Amino acid sequence: MNSTKTKSYYPSSYPSVVSDLSDDEYHGNHTVFTSSRARTLITHTPAHIKHRIDNPIDTSAMAFGRYVHAMALTPGVLSRSFAVWSGADKRTKAGKAEWESFQAINVKKTIITADQHEVACVASDSVTGCFPALGVNDAAHFEASAYALIDGVASAARPDILVPLPNGGFHMVDLKTSRDLNTWKFLSSCNQYGYFTQLQHYREVLAACGYAVDQVSILAVENTAPFTARVFDIPVERCEQESSTIKRVRDIWKECNDTNTWPGWGDTVTKLGDFL
């Protein structure tokens, strides 16, 4: 796996797998078909994708999740992408001035509060404590960015961990932050947030890059106290059930890009009785 450091990364050839891309470099490419864009097309419309591309959002919860990811998986990039604020009270004149200076110095970084940092340390320790059970070792690849052409569509995936298996395949591990790791609650989250779709999209892109994923797990960590982690084994067969749906929305993505047309819900009447 090669390394690059360019803003908004665009691969020069397909397929390719690139290491050491920042979040901005990976997500800054608006031309590739990703799992999040697939999910939006499944649950909403092309107009919603176009709006989200043109108007990206970030929340405290999203920032915390990225910080835990970086701390547990790629601690070497923490200082490159994040800055921890532990300064004076921002309500005072001196504190406000210090805060404004801190923001200016770290304008291209995600700012994390000292409190967020403390809980992220606990969550990160919980995550890495599960590595032995997952077989994570020095041969594992962390947050590699994979690019491939599938059905003529430039597609991208960013698996959190890829562990080589003795049979030549790979064990793919996806890290999630979640409020509740009760089995039934987390299964509900898998369905609600389209985790199976995401994992199958990853498998298809990786397969096109020569990485056969034979085993899939989700390593989930709580985003509230006590910030414990839990491993869920995901049946590959359940992921494969999403293949036809992914192909359908991949075709929609291609048509939207080819025609530069991003339709919304349309004027078709939806009969709610069909869903009751």
Side-chain angles (χ1 to χ4, degrees):
M1 296 186 178
N2 59 312
S3 177
T4 185
K5 292 183 181 180
T6 58
K7 190 70 171 177
S8 299
Y9 180 75
Y10 296 85
S12 58
S13 62
Y14 295 92
S16 63
V17 179
V18 185
S19 62
D20 199 28
L21 289 184
S22 68
D23 286 336
D24 286 343
E25 288 168 328
Y26 177 75
H27 293 293
N29 184 337
H30 297 160
T31 66
V32 292
F33 182 68
T34 64
S35 62
S36 62
R37 289 164 190 168
R39 182 61 182 169
T40 301
L41 282 174
I42 291 169
T43 61
H44 290 76
T45 73
H48 291 84
I49 284 187
K50 181 62 174 173
H51 176 76
R52 292 173 188 180
I53 289 175
D54 294 341
N55 303 275
I57 62 171
D58 197 13
T59 66
S60 178
M62 293 167 65
F64 176 78
R66 292 199 308 274
Y67 193 59
V68 172
H69 269 69
M71 184 175 288
L73 306 179
T74 55
V77 307
L78 280 176
S79 61
R80 186 177 79 185
S81 302
F82 299 91
V84 179
W85 165 255
S86 56
D89 188 340
K90 289 182 287 186
R91 293 172 296 183
T92 67
K93 183 176 180 180
K96 182 178 179 180
E98 184 180 352
W99 168 242
E100 290 176 350
S101 175
F102 184 82
Q103 284 183 301
I105 293 172
N106 297 287
V107 66
K108 294 184 178 181
K109 297 181 181 180
T110 298
I111 297 177
I112 299 294
T113 67
D115 289 343
Q116 285 178 314
H117 172 75
E118 289 182 10
V119 298
C121 288
V122 178
S124 176
D125 286 344
S126 295
V127 168
T128 55
C130 292
F131 281 2
L134 290 163
V136 176
N137 52 37
D138 292 340
H141 305 293
F142 293 90
E143 292 202 329
S145 302
Y147 298 87
L149 291 175
I150 303 177
D151 297 334
V153 178
S155 304
R158 191 174 169 89
D160 290 322
I161 309 174
L162 281 176
V163 182
L165 296 173
N167 66 357
F170 288 84
H171 178 190
M172 181 174 69
V173 182
D174 196 57
L175 175 58
K176 300 292 186 188
T177 54
S178 180
R179 179 171 295 277
D180 196 332
L181 298 188
N182 166 275
T183 300
W184 294 107
K185 290 284 189 180
F186 190 73
L187 180 58
S188 177
S189 294
C190 288
N191 291 314
Q192 179 180 356
Y193 299 114
Y195 291 167
F196 301 128
T197 304
Q198 174 194 3
L199 295 170
Q200 180 59 21
H201 171 79
Y202 282 9
R203 291 185 70 243
E204 292 180 8
V205 174
L206 288 167
C209 293
Y211 294 78
V213 174
D214 303 322
Q215 185 177 348
V216 179
S217 297
I218 291 179
L219 171 50
V221 61
E222 296 163 332
N223 55 17
T224 57
F227 306 102
T228 59
R230 188 178 185 187
V231 175
F232 294 92
D233 174 69
I234 308 299
V236 169
E237 296 78 12
R238 177 60 185 88
C239 297
E240 291 173 339
Q241 291 175 14
E242 301 298 312
S243 291
S244 60
T245 300
I246 294 173
K247 176 173 173 44
R248 175 177 62 82
V249 295
R250 187 165 54 227
D251 290 342
I252 295 173
W253 169 262
K254 184 177 188 303
E255 182 178 357
C256 290
N257 277 275
D258 289 346
T259 62
N260 195 28
T261 303
W262 305 86
W265 294 114
D267 56 4
T268 302
V269 175
T270 299
K271 298 180 179 180
L272 285 183
D274 293 342
F275 299 87
L276 299 176

